[in-house]
Amino acid sequence: MSTEGGLRRRVKGLSEAEFRQRYGTEEACRAALFALRWGKGWACPSCGHGRCAALKGRPLYQCNRCKRQVGLTAGTVFHWTKLPLTTWFLAIYHLTQSKGGMSSIELARRLGTRQPTAWLIKHKLMAAMQVRDAGKPKLEGRVEIDDAYLGGARSGGKRGRGAAGKTPFVAAVETTAERKPRRLRLTVVKGFRQREIETLAKCQFAAGSNIVSDGLSCWTAVAAAGCTHFPMVTGSGAQAAKWVPFTWVNTALGNIKTALAGTYHHVSAKHAQRYLASFAWRFNRRYQLDTLTERLAYACTRTEPHPYRAIIAG
Ligand SMILES: [Zn+2]
């Protein structure tokens, strides 16, 4: 269930039965992957020839002219995987359909794999989400931003800005003029310092954007990216009480905290950006629940391999 502008809109996901029908066999997954990767036409990476033949029994395609063989998964997130594609598609399904993501223990149970295998699959898929959204245009127009922390003590610990052991990140929501959310970006920062915010703003906000924030002094640095800053100092009185500028940032942050607390006991700082990117990816496609499986599979075919050593490096 999603709420926008006071209207409740039910967004239908993909049922397990529908999923099994589309991606339940290795053959179906291979065909789906081939269509996602080369639907607009296969082209030989060696000679550019447009025709190939599928090799029997293996996910390999051979150029009809120069006989170069190309693996279906080569050069993608699934790069030469030894796992069945059905396992990958099932992982994609579970990670995209569950609102708060899924722990690797739970994912392993659903996939029938060992936990470390499920963990690696999950992180590779989250990397694809991250790469996909990083390639999208900068946020523009009206953008609400806020500072937040991930990890550390969940309750009873130190609260507020600068709490130790937590990963600081910036939440930015592009909204319509009516303050309905469009797109969300969650970015880990070293701290809430002007130089950090300047770098982030240049990378993520289009020049001319109107950045709405609270009174934290670092936000003025968005001016260096050609943005206008509207500091909304939380005041008292009837006006302040009536007007809540950060509704959507706060809603998004609240959802993330709830999901993380419910699903994961600990998110290491090294992997925080990947977790945050996966939440943003899903938020940004909240009205496309029925096509999320193919959207993420498509992103995987357009994302370079992320081997284990790259994943653990963070
Ligand atoms: Zn060729």
Side-chain angles (χ1 to χ4, degrees), residues 58-137:
R58 290 198 297 163
L60 269 179
Y61 300 88
Q62 182 170 280
C63 174
N64 283 353
R65 189 197 278 161
C66 75
K67 307 300 175 196
R68 161 91 182 252
Q69 294 182 352
V70 183
L72 176 61
T73 62
T76 73
V77 163
F78 315 113
H79 193 71
W80 293 119
T81 183
K82 291 185 177 70
L83 293 165
L85 288 176
T86 47
T87 303
W88 280 100
F89 272 86
L90 193 56
I92 289 172
Y93 175 71
H94 285 306
L95 282 187
T96 55
Q97 295 298 317
S98 69
K99 204 167 182 182
M102 189 176 276
S103 75
S104 55
I105 295 168
E106 174 66 11
L107 186 61
R109 199 181 65 74
R110 306 236 185 167
L111 300 181
T113 66
R114 292 166 59 240
Q115 182 270 334
T117 306
W119 185 91
L120 188 57
I121 289 174
K122 187 174 83 164
H123 279 263
K124 287 184 177 194
L125 295 178
M126 293 197 301
M129 293 171 167
Q130 186 181 348
V131 169
R132 185 74 180 153
D133 268 1
K136 298 281 180 185

